[in-house]
Amino acid sequence: MSNEKIPYKIYLEEKDMPKQWYNVRADMKKKPAPLLNPATGKPCTAEELSHVFCNELVQQELNETDPYIAIPQEIQDFYKMFRPSPLIRAYFLEKKLGTPAKIYYKFEGNNTSGSHKLNSAIAQAYYAKKQGLKGVTTETGAGQWGTALSMACSYFDLDCQVYMVKVSYEQKPFRREVMRTYGANVTPSPSMTTEVGRKILAEFPETGGSLGCAISEAVEAATSQEGYRYVLGSVLSQVLLHQTVIGLECKTALDKYGEKPDIIIGCAGGGSNLGGLIAPFMGEKLRGEADYQIIAVEPASCPSLTRGTYAYDFCDTGKICPLQKMYTLGSGFMPSPNHAGGLRYHGMSAILSELYDQGLMEARSVEQTSVFEAAQQFARVEGILPAPESSHAIRVAIDEALKCKETGEEKTILFGLTGTGYFDMYAYAAYNDGKMGDYIPTDEEIAKSIANLPKIG
Ligand SMILES: *Cc1c(COP(=O)(O)O)cnc(C)c1O
């Protein structure tokens, strides 16, 4: 067999790690729509954005022309603590499924934050430090982003203020304590510390909070304190840019063995890991050099690509962030409390939204019980206990591999395994006890939320 020489794990050497991030927008003929200022309805200027975000990150956010952006040496050095991440050939899973398909996954869970989010957290903390800021503010849902950011901030000696969605704050005390161990200040959201938080609490005193609401509080905290800026762990184009280290490493590793994926699969919450995984492959596709089938996987309970509308919308519940054109369920959409916290965002990256709209990638939604079935199957043969978010990608990778079993096609499948699930054991318990349900929003619910989109364009 020609694949006998491919090892279980393909590790790169440090010298093969990417020295530049790849900016896929440079190769897009039709670019994502610009961010709009909600007050004026006009594209946000760098000056306006710099009140909220770090200067250099604003430049990256607005840069649609440079295909490569150098990774500063200090960030490259930090990456060496946990990168290059392994690209694993899922020989055991292939055997278990009895598929002729070859399955590879890129594992990003090998750091204390347990997910890919550290790739962008360290970059954002670096630019904040370089600008001489005192600290940064952010929101976190399930807690992976807050954990990654607190690690990055402690490395650069920056203050880190995290607004954590209240239900998660109460249900995930261990994540909260990891953040505090790294020196972060964690506040359950909505809180009385911000104007927007007080307003939401006055209206909904019993609310367990939401990601959109925590974003509003974090932005207010950043803009009302001297020497602070707001940072975000997903959705923005700068975050997708930092995450391209995932795809670039995959490309180098596969090229070493002359392998080329037919299908590339990733879970999509705000789109950062998927955007980063597919970037170099999408670049080839955009330049007409190669073709790949690319599949975004989202929860059936929060189906922004598969059932949302492509329109300008607010990125937060408080409606203070810039407007972004994206596939959205409406900023007031409250997804049911499913167990993949990182995939419960109402919108999607502007880059991925545009690529999807152009038909350059597909999207599928999957139900949570079938996701946990795939997670369990994967854990039992491959050893890694996957995060519920990551398991969405596993579900579709298994589905595609089983299709190959039927047709006899020897396709090569690559998927992103974004993290580990050790802080998600309540979810696994619900599944193991047979108590997990599936919730799919009705068309009426989605239409009601879409009716409140801002009237623009
Ligand atoms: C945050 C998170 C996601 C989803 O975020 P994206 O920006 O869509 O990548 C997926 N997996 C894990 C483990 C996460 O922590």
Side-chain angles (χ1 to χ4, degrees):
M1 261 165 70
S2 65
N3 58 23
E4 258 167 6
K5 65 181 187 305
I6 296 175
Y8 281 76
K9 283 188 192 151
I10 308 180
Y11 277 109
L12 298 178
E13 291 179 52
E14 273 180 16
K15 67 174 175 45
D16 294 327
M17 285 170 65
K19 296 182 176 52
Q20 300 169 312
W21 292 301
Y22 167 60
N23 181 11
V24 72
R25 284 170 293 174
D27 284 311
M28 291 171 71
K29 282 197 197 79
K30 183 161 176 269
K31 313 282 183 197
L35 293 172
L36 298 184
N37 180 331
T40 63
K42 298 219 168 66
C44 290
T45 62
E47 207 276 320
E48 286 164 354
L49 289 170
S50 69
H51 298 299
V52 180
F53 301 109
C54 306
N55 295 341
E56 195 124 352
L57 293 167
V58 169
Q59 294 309 320
Q60 293 180 358
E61 194 62 31
L62 298 177
N63 188 332
E64 306 188 315
T65 47
D66 294 327
Y68 290 99
I69 292 171
I71 306 175
Q73 189 60 48
E74 269 185 277
I75 300 176
Q76 286 189 45
D77 290 343
F78 186 90
Y79 279 162
K80 285 172 195 161
M81 253 190 249
F82 62 103
R83 312 200 67 81
S85 69
L87 178 70
I88 302 172
R89 173 76 185 267
Y91 281 117
F92 298 116
L93 181 63
E94 290 170 18
K95 193 167 157 217
K96 182 82 186 171
L97 298 174
T99 177
K102 297 189 228 173
I103 307 174
Y104 290 94
Y105 58 94
K106 181 73 165 163
F107 181 47
E108 291 292 319
N110 251 338
N111 67 76
T112 295
S113 84
S115 83
H116 65 287
K117 294 207 170 68
L118 194 54
N119 297 330
S120 183
I122 192 62
Q124 299 196 42
Y126 168 83
Y127 291 117
K129 186 71 184 177
K130 199 175 154 209
Q131 194 174 324
L133 298 176
K134 289 185 203 143
V136 292
T137 71
T138 199
E139 77 295 329
T140 197
Q144 290 97 321
W145 167 245
T147 310
L149 188 69
S150 60
M151 291 174 71
C153 284
S154 73
Y155 182 76
F156 285 120
D157 211 6
L158 280 167
D159 185 34
C160 180
Q161 302 177 354
V162 182
Y163 286 85
M164 185 170 189
V165 177
K166 195 187 273 168
V167 279
S168 303
Y169 183 90
E170 285 157 5
Q171 286 173 3
K172 300 201 167 183
F174 292 146
R175 278 226 181 266
R176 185 178 82 206
E177 292 315 316
V178 178
M179 287 185 252
R180 297 202 323 153
T181 301
Y182 281 96
N185 198 311
V186 189
T187 307
S189 166
S191 75
M192 297 297 282
T193 67
T194 64
E195 209 169 298
V196 61
R198 288 189 291 272
K199 212 169 113 190
I200 292 169
L201 279 176
E203 206 176 333
F204 308 102
E206 300 300 320
T207 180
S210 73
L211 214 47
C213 162
I215 295 176
S216 302
E217 286 207 272
V219 172
E220 184 185 320
T223 51
S224 59
Q225 296 175 89
E226 180 71 29
Y228 281 77
R229 291 292 184 280
Y230 167 68
V231 295
L232 183 59
S234 181
V235 187
L236 294 175
S237 300
Q238 58 187 270
V239 184
L240 266 74
L241 177 76
H242 306 145
Q243 294 297 354
T244 60
V245 291
I246 303 173
L248 292 164
E249 283 183 8
C250 275
K251 186 88 180 58
T252 309
L254 289 171
D255 284 352
K256 241 166 101 168
Y257 290 93
E259 286 284 87
K260 188 178 159 304
D262 298 294
I263 310 176
I264 307 171
I265 300 164
C267 63
S272 74
N273 86 82
L274 178 66
L277 172 69
I278 66 173
F281 302 98
M282 183 58 83
E284 290 185 331
K285 196 164 160 149
L286 288 163
R287 296 188 302 269
E289 297 163 6
D291 197 16
Y292 302 97
Q293 182 185 7
I294 294 169
I295 309 173
V297 191
E298 55 186 17
S301 57
C302 193
S304 45
L305 285 171
T306 49
R307 293 175 70 199
T309 300
Y310 193 31
Y312 270 104
D313 194 10
F314 293 98
C315 296
D316 62 324
T317 317
K319 306 184 175 180
I320 50 179
C321 289
L323 292 163
Q324 174 166 286
K325 188 175 179 194
M326 58 184 172
Y327 275 86
T328 179
L329 295 163
S331 63
F333 183 80
M334 286 284 172
S336 70
N338 75 58
H339 292 289
L343 305 182
R344 292 183 65 209
Y345 185 64
H346 67 274
M348 186 53 64
S349 137
I351 295 176
L352 291 190
S353 292
E354 181 56 35
L355 292 168
Y356 177 65
D357 197 58
Q358 291 181 27
L360 291 159
M361 52 181 267
E362 305 164 22
R364 265 180 227 173
S365 69
V366 289
E367 290 173 31
Q368 113 173 314
T369 46
S370 77
V371 165
F372 275 82
E373 185 198 350
Q376 192 185 66
Q377 197 172 11
F378 180 85
R380 287 181 182 181
V381 289
E382 289 291 322
I384 297 170
L385 184 85
E389 292 89 349
S390 324
S391 305
H392 286 66
I394 299 176
R395 172 75 271 163
V396 171
I398 290 179
D399 290 346
E400 289 300 314
L402 290 175
K403 267 189 219 164
C404 290
K405 185 177 175 177
E406 262 172 43
T407 61
E409 284 174 291
E410 292 179 29
K411 287 190 179 168
T412 300
I413 298 169
L414 167 65
F415 74 89
L417 189 71
T418 50
T420 46
Y422 303 119
F423 288 115
D424 300 283
M425 296 322 290
Y426 283 118
Y428 276 94
Y431 179 73
N432 292 334
D433 290 341
K435 289 188 181 145
M436 181 175 277
D438 289 312
Y439 183 77
I440 303 176
T442 62
D443 289 342
E444 288 71 36
E445 271 174 83
I446 293 178
K448 205 171 138 200
S449 158
I450 290 293
N452 292 323
L453 289 181
K455 306 279 174 281
I456 281 168

